[in-house]
Amino acid sequence: MSEKELLLMCEEYTLRTHEYNRPPILWRGRGQYLWDVNGKEYLDMGSGQMCATLGHNHPWVVEAIKKSCDELLHSSSVHAPAKSIELASRIGHLVSPPLKVSMFLSTGSEANEAALNIAKKYTGGYEGATFHISYHGRTAMTRTISPSLTHKGYGPLIPGIFTMPGPYCYRCPIKLTFPDCESICLDVGFEMLDRWAMGPVAAVFAEPIFGAAGIIEAPSGYFKRLKKKCEERGILLVLDEMQTAFGRCGAMFAYEQEEIVPDILTLSKTMGGGIAISSVTTSDEIKHVIMNRGFFHSSTHAFDPLPSYVALAVVDAVEKDNLIQKSKEIGNYLKAGFKELAQRHLIIGDIRGRGLLQGIELVKDRGTKEPAEEEANAVYWRCIEKGLMTRTVGMPASHCVINFCPPFYVTQKEIDIALNILDEVLSEVEKNIYA
Ligand code: PMP
């Protein structure tokens, strides 16, 4: 079928929230590359929807799917199948104590829903808190803990969720500067939370790198202070590592880099190599308390074998191919490349992230930091024309961050190719600003 026919069918028969009905229509993928139905090649710096960390159709992922086809694709969620038990044990050994036990679900939103339910049962509270730069999903509850999204037309949000100012230092919501500010946003947030809460607060949700809001890293020591504030109040800290785990940021889990251990860890994207799976991991102690209180949470595809085969293959690859080290090395190379571009392109206002999760924030003016949203959009589409897939992220009104999160096997040469295309495109786009 031709691209034209597919675009017409897409217009007529799909319900997609991305309003663009324009090429490329993707058809095939291998490693860092995608091809559209016309055979045009794209270097994918976005790992699909950030998930294909081993690259597209990695042979071990394909092998794992085939093995599942030979053995067992789906089973009753009442009886945990062999591969899912194996995966739970593997994760139980990877995470830091007291984290140990896992539940497997399908999507990230589902995992965060389950995390709040666990926290509610454990603490006896129903309230929760989040940050203004958080993104945790689009179901009713996870939308509520995702203030970085636009909510127009989806209200009311669920009751009992409080929003605190997050550590977006480049655009500080209270206009202070780190380190002089001593992260006072955290003290203010918790002081307000204490005044607002009706009863025990069940959970605080955060991402070690706030991804969707613009690859925002908290300043040094922030997460340690956050964990302490939660502990002082008996609040469970839920870390959502859907974008950051399994080596992407240069450690198996990004919480290790912050020298904390969350009470509940939620995983998805980087776990499944492109196949839908998510998990919620917590401690034995929390498990026993909530079980005694009658905790029940499941879904049709909970503990399904197929995604467990794949997740085990992903963990194998991360360990056997030394991908954590690779993520660090290539990540440093990428960061150096972004810094070099920033010397020549005034549109680059900030460079953030680590390992293979990095972004550059585009601004019209480095002094005023006016977000270059239209320009970021133009960069995205012009890169596609030149055969480069990136991602644009950011909050409404500052959706101006170009994100690179390539598969682990990306080479320095491929990073050079991507940065050269970006260089050319930034020059083109800048001409319109500085004309
Ligand atoms: N948390 C984070 C950090 C995410 O990036 C995402 C997906 N973008 C989600 C939660 C929601 O996952 P899903 O779309 O699979 O529900």
Side-chain angles (χ1 to χ4, degrees):
M1 216 172 274
S2 73
E3 181 179 81
K4 198 170 163 208
E5 286 168 312
L6 286 164
L7 282 170
L8 284 172
M9 276 166 71
C10 187
E11 175 72 38
E12 196 167 353
Y13 292 107
T14 67
L15 175 62
R16 288 157 28 87
T17 52
H18 294 280
E19 69 272 28
Y20 320 109
N21 196 31
R22 60 193 268 188
I25 305 248
L26 299 172
W27 161 66
R28 205 174 146 258
R30 283 289 178 286
Q32 286 76 262
Y33 295 91
L34 290 161
W35 289 268
D36 69 16
V37 286
N38 296 327
K40 181 175 164 183
E41 184 177 279
Y42 301 85
L43 177 55
D44 185 8
M45 287 286 138
S47 300
Q49 190 60 28
M50 310 186 81
C51 306
T53 49
L54 306 188
H56 295 282
N57 299 48
H58 187 278
W60 293 3
V61 169
V62 172
E63 191 52 42
I65 293 171
K66 284 186 180 155
K67 192 139 199 278
S68 175
C69 291
D70 288 342
E71 293 177 358
L72 187 65
L73 281 167
H74 167 71
S75 66
S76 154
S77 43
V78 175
H79 307 287
K83 276 293 158 188
S84 309
I85 296 172
E86 216 181 290
L87 177 62
S89 155
R90 194 78 179 268
I91 291 180
H93 286 93
L94 285 179
V95 291
S96 316
L99 292 175
K100 187 176 158 197
V101 296
S102 297
M103 168 188 284
F104 299 121
L105 299 159
S106 306
T107 67
S109 303
E110 256 188 295
N112 285 324
E113 289 275 353
L116 183 61
N117 285 342
I118 290 170
K120 283 181 179 177
K121 269 284 189 216
Y122 182 76
T123 59
Y126 69 91
E127 291 159 322
T130 184
F131 296 93
H132 83 290
I133 51 177
S134 294
Y135 179 78
H136 298 289
R138 285 175 200 267
T139 55
M141 192 292 285
T142 56
R143 172 178 281 287
T144 311
I145 54 168
S146 301
S148 70
L149 283 175
T150 174
H151 298 300
K152 271 191 198 124
Y154 300 103
L157 298 174
I158 68 155
I161 300 292
F162 186 79
T163 300
M164 304 190 282
Y168 192 178
C169 297
Y170 186 66
R171 295 185 188 282
C172 174
I174 46 178
K175 307 281 179 277
L176 296 177
T177 311
F178 187 82
D180 294 346
C181 66
E182 297 176 356
S183 295
I184 199 163
C185 54
L186 198 54
D187 301 308
V188 172
F190 272 85
E191 196 171 328
M192 299 294 129
L193 178 63
D194 291 342
R195 300 278 73 73
W196 165 89
M198 308 288 152
V201 174
V204 168
F205 283 79
E207 298 158 74
I209 294 181
F210 296 85
I215 319 295
I216 299 166
E217 282 181 290
S220 146
Y222 181 92
F223 278 98
K224 272 192 181 165
R225 290 188 60 219
L226 169 61
K227 177 79 170 92
K228 188 158 175 277
K229 284 187 182 296
C230 288
E231 276 168 8
E232 283 163 2
R233 292 160 175 81
I235 303 174
L236 300 191
L237 176 63
V238 182
L239 263 201
D240 173 339
E241 287 231 26
M242 293 176 193
Q243 298 193 8
T244 52
F246 295 104
R248 175 172 266 153
C249 294
M252 185 58 85
F253 302 103
Y255 70 71
E256 296 165 19
Q257 296 166 318
E258 303 297 343
E259 297 175 16
I260 59 156
V261 180
D263 300 290
I264 303 178
L265 175 68
T266 57
L267 305 169
S268 179
K269 290 184 186 296
T270 55
M271 185 180 192
I275 299 296
I277 182 167
S278 64
S279 70
V280 193
T281 302
T282 192
S283 65
D284 250 340
E285 193 258 331
I286 292 178
K287 169 180 164 175
H288 287 118
V289 170
I290 62 172
M291 288 309 189
N292 285 336
R293 293 179 182 165
F295 175 74
F296 184 85
H297 192 101
S298 187
S299 76
T300 304
H301 293 289
F303 287 91
D304 247 4
L306 168 66
S308 296
Y309 279 84
V310 177
L312 281 164
V314 170
V315 177
D316 278 345
V318 170
E319 287 183 336
K320 290 183 187 154
D321 279 354
N322 208 7
L323 296 183
I324 295 179
Q325 187 55 26
K326 211 162 176 341
S327 155
K328 275 193 219 162
E329 284 167 12
I330 298 275
N332 289 340
Y333 189 76
L334 175 61
K335 178 69 62 82
F338 278 148
K339 283 188 178 158
E340 198 275 319
L341 285 186
Q343 285 174 11
R344 284 179 290 112
H345 295 286
L346 290 176
I347 196 170
I348 300 179
D350 200 18
I351 303 170
R352 296 190 291 264
R354 55 186 184 263
L356 294 178
L357 182 64
Q358 296 192 34
I360 50 172
E361 178 152 350
L362 304 188
V363 290
K364 291 190 198 222
D365 179 314
R366 282 188 181 173
T368 63
K369 300 185 183 174
E370 185 185 345
E373 285 194 300
E374 278 168 27
E375 290 76 7
N377 190 44
V379 167
Y380 176 80
W381 287 105
R382 190 71 183 114
C383 283
I384 285 191
E385 278 169 33
K386 288 175 173 271
L388 175 68
M389 289 270 176
T390 64
R391 302 181 69 248
T392 51
V393 291
M395 296 192 285
S398 58
H399 197 92
C400 55
V401 179
I402 305 292
N403 168 217
F404 275 31
C405 51
F408 288 113
Y409 298 101
V410 71
T411 61
Q412 288 193 356
K413 197 165 164 233
E414 286 162 336
I415 294 284
D416 287 342
I417 292 169
L419 290 174
N420 281 338
I421 295 176
L422 186 63
D423 190 6
E424 287 166 19
V425 170
L426 289 176
S427 300
E428 285 175 27
V429 168
E430 273 173 332
K431 271 188 206 142
N432 299 331
I433 304 181
Y434 308 118

